[in-house]
Amino acid sequence: MIEKTRFLDRLRDKLNTRQEKVLLRMLAEGPDGFQGGLSAQNYRSITGTTSATATRDLADLVFLGALNRTGENRYARYSLCLG
């Protein structure tokens, strides 16, 4: 719980509403986030956004240190970076 609070405090005022919604959903799933990681398609289905916006939002979350990215292109998966 404390780790989640620190994580969100570190990102305060840097996230848009879509990004915040997805991070809260991942945190609710547990410390590992989604099984197999979050994909751009998962992001789009949660937020109802376009592919281009999802790609930008995810790249921004990686840049901010909120998510770790593994894989490339359509095989890219994202996991929480709580530490």
Side-chain angles (χ1 to χ4, degrees), residues 2 7 9 11 14 17 20 40 42 45 70 82:
I2 292 171
F7 176 74
D9 282 346
L11 298 169
K14 297 178 183 175
T17 55
E20 187 175 343
N42 293 130
S45 67
T70 57
L82 293 174

Side-chain angles (χ1 to χ4, degrees), residues 8-83:
L8 292 173
D9 282 346
R10 180 170 53 96
L11 298 169
R12 189 174 312 283
D13 300 326
K14 297 178 183 175
L15 303 174
N16 62 44
T17 55
R18 295 179 306 276
Q19 292 168 326
E20 187 175 343
K21 181 178 183 177
V22 169
L23 289 179
L24 290 173
R25 174 81 183 274
M26 290 181 78
L27 289 168
E29 293 289 325
D32 297 327
F34 293 113
Q35 176 124 10
L38 175 74
S39 67
Q41 183 176 355
N42 293 130
Y43 190 93
R44 288 192 312 270
S45 67
I46 293 168
T47 61
T49 191
T50 65
S51 294
T53 300
T55 301
R56 281 192 304 271
D57 283 356
L58 288 166
D60 190 38
L61 287 169
V62 170
F63 177 77
L64 292 172
L67 297 178
N68 290 320
R69 179 183 171 158
T70 57
E72 291 296 322
N73 301 321
R74 62 186 270 197
Y75 302 107
R77 296 294 181 266
Y78 302 87
S79 59
L80 290 170
C81 184
L82 293 174

